[in-house]
Amino acid sequence: MALTAQWAVAWLRGAAEVVAENRVLLIDLDRAIGDADHGENLDRGFSAVVAKLDAGPDPATPAEVLKGAAMTLMSSVGGAAGPLYGTAFLRAAKALGDAVEVGPDEAAAMLEAARDGVVARGKAEVGDKTMIDAWTPAAESARTAASAGASAEEVLSAAANAAQAGAVATEPLIARKGRASYLGERSANHRDPGAVSTAMILQAAAVAAGGVNL
Amino acid sequence: MALTAQWAVAWLRGAAEVVAENRVLLIDLDRAIGDADHGENLDRGFSAVVAKLDAGPDPATPAEVLKGAAMTLMSSVGGAAGPLYGTAFLRAAKALGDAVEVGPDEAAAMLEAARDGVVARGKAEVGDKTMIDAWTPAAESARTAASAGASAEEVLSAAANAAQAGAVATEPLIARKGRASYLGERSANHRDPGAVSTAMILQAAAVAAGGVNL
Amino acid sequence: MKKLINNPRAVVAESVEGFGRAHADLVTVHPDPLFLTRKDAPVSGKVGLVSGGGSGHEPLHAGYVGRGMLDAAVPGAMFTSPTPDQILPATVAVDGGAGVLHIVKNYTGDVLNFETAAELAEEEGITVRTVLVNDDVAVEDSLYTAGRRGVGGTVFVERLAGAAAERGDDLDAVTAIAQRVVDNVRSMGVALAACTVPHAGVPSFDLAEDEIEIGIGIHGEPGRHRIAMEDADGITVRLLEPITADLALAAGDRVLLMVNGMGGTPASELYIVFRKAVELLEAQGVQMERSLVGNYITALEMQGASVSVLRLDDELIELWDSPVHTAAMRWGA
Amino acid sequence: MKKLINNPRAVVAESVEGFGRAHADLVTVHPDPLFLTRKDAPVSGKVGLVSGGGSGHEPLHAGYVGRGMLDAAVPGAMFTSPTPDQILPATVAVDGGAGVLHIVKNYTGDVLNFETAAELAEEEGITVRTVLVNDDVAVEDSLYTAGRRGVGGTVFVERLAGAAAERGDDLDAVTAIAQRVVDNVRSMGVALAACTVPHAGVPSFDLAEDEIEIGIGIHGEPGRHRIAMEDADGITVRLLEPITADLALAAGDRVLLMVNGMGGTPASELYIVFRKAVELLEAQGVQMERSLVGNYITALEMQGASVSVLRLDDELIELWDSPVHTAAMRWGA
Ligand SMILES: Nc1ncnc2c1ncn2[C@@H]1O[C@H](COP(=O)(O)OP(=O)(O)O)[C@@H](O)[C@H]1O
Ligand SMILES: Nc1ncnc2c1ncn2[C@@H]1O[C@H](COP(=O)(O)OP(=O)(O)O)[C@@H](O)[C@H]1O
Ligand SMILES: [Mg+2]
Ligand SMILES: [Mg+2]
Ligand SMILES: [Mg+2]
Ligand SMILES: [Mg+2]
């Protein structure tokens, strides 16, 4: 699928589905090193996004879709993830501007903007065991793929794959940001819930584009 | 042993021992149909009785010993059992008067007075699943034995045996007095803790007299 | 059993000592025999109010000592009535010459121990009246039991009789107010999980993950019925219906409604029960005029709640609203 | 999981609705987006105080709305920071023209959501200041963490800044008082058993029968260390020592001491901890001037306690003693 407004809608609906399916898994990850709400928060938020999409009207550009989602996430997720995902989608929308269809370079730029937004809000660095550990490799792999001439779908697949690897790689880390940081060394040996959900959401973007299912 | 002041002291010390040994059992019986404190209450009370005896001076008559115990139990047991056992020992003391040694008839009269005291305070009838179900057969068997010419020791043994049988017989009953009565039919199939402790305490009286251990 | 305690036998003494330190402006702790009095006791010419009972129901009773409520509280061992040698000096200490009212929850132990203390106090020339609180509708068949238990209604009796004493009512009048409260209050409780008495060390009863006990008391006793878990609204109906039936509440009645936590229940849950209880009362045309939501009479860390309803009249409302200053209930002062 | 709830997703809304019914004299509930304001908000010319955070810590924050404390409380989902679309209208609703102070517990989620709301409020012409509460000494190495958490000290900040606002201090002065409290308060907590978040349905962590968690927060997070069960006196030493060390308390210092229950702890146990804490402070020559013992900031039905110590000065004592009238803290009114 070309990366149109329809693609963006399919992405968000897909994200809502994967988050709902993995609600308990994300709660369990967060219970281990946090406060057991990440899956609940995202499920509540993405359900609200879908409800808004259902209510219409159909947006004309991908940016419009993502901006709407950003506002809804911001006002329904709460916690740390709400403002962070809200900012990510807001910056992503901004990066896309008025484009009716997103090309490979724009897709990479969108992910970079999202990543930069999360960094700007959360001040986390790579290795702090946060969703940045998924967003950063995702943005970087997207840019590499785009530079190498990949299609937009391929850019998104590359991002999703990298996010997934990044999420897995948070497992041994000691958290230095977010709630898990209070645990000190006890935060090691658990995957960061936000990094895992980031990978899921980026996977939904790739799947919606018809990219390789991971 | 003749039923002198020394006997009375030995009785109370023996009662304290058996209560301490069975503290958990009495708590468990009370947990099932009450509030899980009967063993704790009696253990606290009889420990206080022993402490008073240790502090001296040695009393001259059985009545003096029992009256002292009554006051201590009244002021240290609390709950339902405190006033009831306090009254039982107070009435028992009163029944013995100035006697230096207790004979078979006096022993029976002592137990009858104790039983009457518990009835006067608690207003329970036989079959209500209370300590009365141990005190009443004890007093009656004591009287029968005394009338039949038994020795004082034998009177106490008869009482202890009857109390034990009475305690066992509370098992199927539905409580109509005390805390267990709130349970209605759910109070059946458990022995009444106060009846069980009464049997233990009367056994201690018989044992102190050199009567048959049950 | 994990508890923030030292020696299980020292729990009550150490806890009351801490209470005395925290509320030194309100109470004096008398350590041996153990009782607490209002700082300014005896208040000359005022009827003295004494209550007490087993410990483990905090803030009852020590938390209710002070202006507009109790003059003395007598804590027994955990879940065990205090003894006459505690109740008697407490009675003597708060007699301001106008006599003393004993507020006694209707349990055999409490009744017997207060009875003895009252007799002894009378021998010392103090006029003592006794009011028995027996508001628990869970005890259905009081002919064949020790009678209804005293539970949440006790809080109302202590407050309203305390207010009457504070305004200068004489012993007869204070006793009449207390009795009027007893006659017009009913309660019912539920447990989701039992409590553990420190000296026993194991929970008072076992409930499966899908069971609750309806009609529990405040001593970790098992309740009257064990049923499958229900939602808060369903449970609230089960608690409130026997109360309104027994009180014969009718449209136009005004009530004081308490939703009380048993010690281990989050406040958020109590407000959910409260919300439904108000809705049910209003559906009957009953007006919720005043309310309490929180831990007012507990059973250690038991999880559950109780609902108490008192039918109000103008005088009781006025008494309720008058100043009270105790550790656990305070307004207007 | 057994809880007195209906639908897990409706817990906060239903609970706040019940709270609103119980305290209709004090608060107005705004259901969508959800927040509560003081009945008489906005108070013209008074600095408005807004706090909020995840639910499950009751009575914090709704229980502290009223005269001498908060003007608005913004409840998030269970243990989840509220969102800007709740915080913004709450801020607008309580601005009496003198600006608004946001009292924010230092958690990433709370910080980010309040930050956004503050920006939006500034765009609407309201001056907003923010004070971050970060009193938890359990978080040792704040360089490598999100910083210390806000826990029990929040109660003191809300009360003392609220008192300052009530006496007419301007926004700078109220902010300075709040910051002074933050600078002088430290806290530390212990869990004996975890809590269960309704939407999760299983306990937040598992503790063996002989284990406790030292240094827990208020969200059911595991603590910093897991140790073998100890008695109350030993645990109190463990909680108090890092506090007094970090505050560098010295002989002659005067303090406000809070022993706070986490939701499932009997009051009797809190007073045992309190007794020991006072003893330890006195042994250092530190004077316990004021105190709170009870459930003031909880983690649902968690079993455990926290200790908070605030170094007092004359002004803070005067502010503390001034009238306060909220659902959960009330005196002088
Ligand atoms: N400062 C931060 N920067 C980036 N991501 C963060 C930061 N703090 C937390 N996160 C992410 O947020 C996730 C937790 O989200 P969630 O559980 O919904 O919020 P909360 O921690 O408020 O309960 C973490 O797993 C982490 O990935
Ligand atoms: N009215 C009564 N008459 C006689 N015995 C009674 C009465 N009420 C209670 N008891 C006895 O007291 C026992 C309970 O004692 P205990 O557990 O120490 O007091 P409490 O019931 O106050 O906790 C019961 O097992 C019963 O034998
Ligand atoms: Mg979380
Ligand atoms: Mg008992
Ligand atoms: Mg008892
Ligand atoms: Mg959270």
Side-chain angles (χ1 to χ4, degrees):
Chain A
M1 189 197 277
L3 305 197
T4 57
Q6 284 68 37
W7 158 76
V9 169
W11 173 11
L12 294 171
R13 292 188 182 275
E17 251 171 59
V18 67
V19 160
E21 274 160 23
N22 289 285
R23 179 180 164 277
V24 172
L25 178 122
L26 293 171
I27 286 175
D28 285 345
L29 288 175
D30 197 25
R31 176 170 41 250
I33 56 170
D35 60 349
D37 61 359
H38 190 57
E40 172 73 8
N41 294 346
L42 289 191
D43 188 26
R44 185 176 57 241
F46 278 96
S47 301
V49 168
V50 167
K52 277 269 169 63
L53 290 172
D54 287 344
D58 286 349
T61 63
E64 231 178 280
V65 178
L66 299 184
K67 188 176 174 189
M71 302 313 290
T72 305
L73 291 174
M74 203 89 93
S75 69
S76 62
V77 174
L84 293 172
Y85 276 120
T87 303
F89 279 96
L90 205 61
R91 296 285 186 98
K94 224 182 239 174
L96 295 182
D98 295 336
V100 172
E101 195 184 316
V102 178
D105 285 325
E106 290 77 28
M110 169 188 86
L111 293 172
E112 286 168 339
R115 188 266 321 269
D116 292 347
V118 175
V119 170
R121 293 306 307 263
K123 315 251 162 23
E125 294 170 17
V126 169
D128 283 352
K129 197 176 182 122
T130 70
M131 61 171 68
I132 281 302
D133 292 337
W135 279 109
T136 297
E140 287 172 0
S141 297
R143 174 59 62 202
T144 307
S147 304
S151 70
E153 295 82 6
E154 286 163 349
V155 166
L156 291 179
S157 285
N161 280 316
Q164 172 64 17
V168 170
T170 60
E171 193 160 312
L173 300 176
I174 293 174
R176 286 191 298 210
K177 278 282 182 289
R179 206 175 281 284
S181 70
Y182 307 135
L183 287 182
E185 314 223 318
R186 289 173 78 183
S187 63
N189 301 320
H190 300 278
R191 289 188 196 174
D192 176 63
V196 171
S197 63
T198 297
M200 289 172 181
I201 290 164
L202 291 182
Q203 184 192 352
V207 169
V212 192
N213 202 326
L214 310 180
Chain B
M1 188 197 278
L3 305 196
T4 59
Q6 284 68 39
W7 159 76
V9 168
W11 173 12
L12 294 171
R13 290 188 183 277
E17 251 171 58
V18 67
V19 160
E21 276 161 21
N22 290 286
R23 178 180 164 279
V24 172
L25 179 123
L26 293 172
I27 286 176
D28 285 346
L29 289 174
D30 197 24
R31 179 174 34 253
I33 56 171
D35 59 350
D37 62 358
H38 189 59
E40 172 73 8
N41 294 346
L42 289 190
D43 187 27
R44 184 176 58 241
F46 278 96
S47 301
V49 167
V50 168
K52 278 269 167 61
L53 290 172
D54 288 344
D58 286 350
T61 63
E64 232 178 278
V65 177
L66 299 185
K67 188 177 174 189
M71 302 312 289
T72 305
L73 291 174
M74 203 88 94
S75 71
S76 62
V77 173
L84 293 173
Y85 275 120
T87 302
F89 279 96
L90 204 62
R91 296 285 184 98
K94 224 182 238 172
L96 295 182
D98 295 336
V100 172
E101 196 184 315
V102 178
D105 285 328
E106 289 78 28
M110 170 188 85
L111 293 172
E112 287 168 339
R115 189 266 322 267
D116 292 348
V118 175
V119 169
R121 293 305 306 264
K123 314 250 163 20
E125 293 171 19
V126 170
D128 284 353
K129 196 177 185 121
T130 72
M131 59 170 70
I132 281 302
D133 291 337
W135 279 108
T136 296
E140 287 173 0
S141 298
R143 177 56 65 203
T144 307
S147 304
S151 70
E153 294 80 9
E154 287 164 349
V155 165
L156 292 179
S157 285
N161 280 318
Q164 173 63 18
V168 171
T170 61
E171 196 161 310
L173 299 177
I174 293 173
R176 284 191 297 209
K177 279 278 182 292
R179 206 175 283 285
S181 68
Y182 306 135
L183 287 182
E185 313 224 319
R186 288 172 78 182
S187 64
N189 302 318
H190 300 279
R191 290 187 197 178
D192 176 62
V196 172
S197 64
T198 297
M200 289 173 182
I201 290 165
L202 292 182
Q203 183 191 355
V207 169
V212 192
N213 201 326
L214 309 180
Chain C
M1 172 189 64
K2 283 186 285 187
K3 289 180 173 290
L4 289 169
I5 62 173
N6 297 301
N7 172 359
R9 282 217 172 150
V11 167
V12 173
E14 291 184 358
S15 173
V16 171
E17 189 188 331
F19 182 89
R21 290 304 309 263
H23 307 290
D25 54 327
L26 288 174
V27 301
T28 304
V29 173
H30 306 256
D32 190 20
L34 184 65
F35 62 97
L36 303 94
T37 52
R38 185 173 151 164
K39 201 80 203 168
D40 57 352
V43 181
S44 172
K46 188 184 90 69
V47 171
L49 260 67
V50 177
S51 192
S55 292
H57 309 303
E58 291 71 23
L60 192 85
H61 298 274
Y64 300 136
V65 172
R67 178 175 165 208
M69 226 163 160
L70 297 180
D71 293 87
V74 191
M78 263 314 151
F79 289 171
T80 300
S81 156
T83 58
D85 71 312
Q86 301 172 263
I87 304 165
L88 175 61
T91 303
V92 172
V94 303
D95 178 37
V100 174
L101 178 66
H102 283 179
I103 299 172
V104 181
K105 301 192 292 306
N106 187 36
Y107 299 94
T108 308
D110 294 76
V111 170
L112 295 179
N113 285 288
F114 270 91
E115 201 172 85
T116 304
E119 278 168 30
L120 296 170
E122 293 273 358
E123 279 172 27
E124 297 196 17
I126 300 173
T127 312
V128 177
R129 296 280 156 75
T130 299
V131 167
L132 287 184
V133 187
N134 60 350
D135 54 319
D136 189 352
V137 292
V139 180
E140 287 157 1
D141 210 345
S142 56
L143 253 184
Y144 298 101
T145 65
R148 285 178 161 172
R149 297 175 288 215
V151 287
T154 314
V155 177
F156 299 166
V157 177
E158 296 184 0
R159 166 64 188 124
L160 292 163
E166 204 72 48
R167 80 173 167 190
D169 284 16
D170 67 15
L171 185 55
D172 281 337
V174 173
T175 307
I177 289 285
Q179 190 58 51
R180 191 152 104 218
V181 176
V182 169
D183 293 342
N184 286 286
V185 64
R186 297 292 185 278
S187 301
M188 178 103 169
V190 63
L192 276 55
C195 57
T196 299
V197 193
H199 64 246
V202 289
S204 297
F205 51 85
D206 291 311
L207 278 174
E209 186 47 45
D210 59 350
E211 284 177 341
I212 59 177
E213 288 264 348
I214 293 278
I216 46 106
I218 54 173
H219 296 89
E221 318 97 310
R224 190 83 185 203
H225 307 289
R226 186 165 289 198
I227 63 166
M229 181 65 195
E230 294 185 357
D231 67 15
D233 286 357
I235 291 170
T236 306
V237 169
R238 284 185 187 271
L239 298 183
L240 195 65
E241 271 190 350
I243 292 173
T244 54
D246 205 87
L247 274 179
L249 279 186
D253 278 344
R254 295 170 299 167
V255 299
L256 165 55
L257 169 66
M258 173 166 76
V259 173
N260 170 64
M262 301 306 296
T265 310
S268 48
E269 297 180 24
L270 300 180
Y271 282 111
I272 290 176
V273 172
F274 180 81
R275 169 186 163 278
K276 183 65 182 179
V278 172
E279 185 187 306
L280 291 169
L281 288 170
E282 286 180 348
Q284 286 190 45
V286 173
Q287 175 87 13
M288 184 272 296
E289 280 282 342
R290 295 291 183 277
S291 66
L292 287 179
V293 183
N295 289 348
Y296 289 96
I297 172 171
T298 61
L300 292 169
E301 75 283 4
M302 185 184 272
Q303 275 185 39
S306 66
V307 172
S308 296
V309 177
L310 170 67
R311 185 190 280 109
L312 290 170
D313 54 48
D314 288 339
E315 185 183 20
L316 292 182
I317 293 174
E318 193 188 310
L319 288 169
W320 183 258
D321 289 344
S322 71
V324 56
H325 185 177
T326 69
M329 204 181 288
R330 182 172 181 181
W331 53 76
Chain D
M1 172 188 66
K2 282 185 285 186
K3 290 181 174 288
L4 289 169
I5 62 174
N6 297 302
N7 172 1
R9 284 219 170 147
V11 167
V12 173
E14 290 185 357
S15 173
V16 171
E17 188 188 331
F19 182 89
R21 291 304 309 262
H23 307 290
D25 54 327
L26 288 173
V27 302
T28 304
V29 173
H30 307 256
D32 191 19
L34 184 65
F35 62 97
L36 303 93
T37 52
R38 186 172 149 163
K39 200 82 203 168
D40 56 353
V43 181
S44 172
K46 189 182 90 67
V47 171
L49 261 66
V50 177
S51 193
S55 292
H57 309 303
E58 291 70 26
L60 191 86
H61 298 272
Y64 300 136
V65 172
R67 178 176 163 205
M69 225 161 160
L70 298 179
D71 294 86
V74 191
M78 265 310 152
F79 289 173
T80 299
S81 155
T83 58
D85 70 312
Q86 299 172 263
I87 303 166
L88 174 62
T91 303
V92 172
V94 303
D95 179 37
V100 174
L101 179 66
H102 283 180
I103 299 173
V104 181
K105 302 193 292 305
N106 186 35
Y107 299 93
T108 308
D110 295 76
V111 170
L112 295 180
N113 285 288
F114 272 91
E115 204 171 84
T116 304
E119 277 168 34
L120 296 170
E122 293 273 359
E123 279 172 28
E124 297 197 17
I126 300 173
T127 311
V128 177
R129 296 282 155 72
T130 298
V131 168
L132 287 185
V133 188
N134 60 351
D135 55 319
D136 189 353
V137 293
V139 180
E140 287 156 1
D141 210 345
S142 54
L143 252 183
Y144 299 103
T145 65
R148 286 180 161 170
R149 296 175 287 214
V151 287
T154 314
V155 178
F156 300 166
V157 176
E158 294 183 1
R159 166 64 188 125
L160 291 162
E166 204 73 48
R167 81 175 165 188
D169 284 16
D170 66 16
L171 184 56
D172 282 336
V174 172
T175 307
I177 288 285
Q179 190 58 51
R180 190 152 106 219
V181 176
V182 170
D183 293 341
N184 286 284
V185 65
R186 298 291 185 280
S187 302
M188 177 103 168
V190 63
L192 277 56
C195 57
T196 298
V197 192
H199 63 245
V202 290
S204 297
F205 51 85
D206 290 310
L207 279 173
E209 186 48 44
D210 58 350
E211 284 177 341
I212 59 177
E213 288 264 350
I214 293 279
I216 46 105
I218 53 172
H219 296 88
E221 319 95 310
R224 190 82 184 204
H225 307 288
R226 186 165 288 198
I227 63 167
M229 181 66 196
E230 294 185 358
D231 66 15
D233 286 358
I235 290 171
T236 307
V237 170
R238 285 185 187 271
L239 297 184
L240 195 66
E241 271 191 348
I243 292 173
T244 54
D246 206 88
L247 274 179
L249 279 186
D253 278 344
R254 296 169 299 167
V255 300
L256 165 56
L257 170 64
M258 173 166 76
V259 173
N260 169 63
M262 301 307 297
T265 310
S268 49
E269 298 181 23
L270 300 179
Y271 281 110
I272 290 176
V273 171
F274 181 81
R275 168 187 163 277
K276 182 66 181 176
V278 172
E279 186 187 306
L280 292 168
L281 288 170
E282 285 179 348
Q284 287 191 46
V286 174
Q287 175 86 16
M288 183 273 294
E289 281 283 343
R290 295 291 184 276
S291 66
L292 286 180
V293 184
N295 290 349
Y296 289 96
I297 171 170
T298 61
L300 293 170
E301 74 284 3
M302 185 184 273
Q303 274 185 41
S306 65
V307 173
S308 296
V309 177
L310 169 67
R311 186 191 279 110
L312 290 170
D313 54 46
D314 288 338
E315 186 184 18
L316 292 182
I317 292 174
E318 194 187 309
L319 287 170
W320 184 258
D321 290 343
S322 71
V324 56
H325 185 177
T326 68
M329 203 181 288
R330 181 172 182 181
W331 53 76

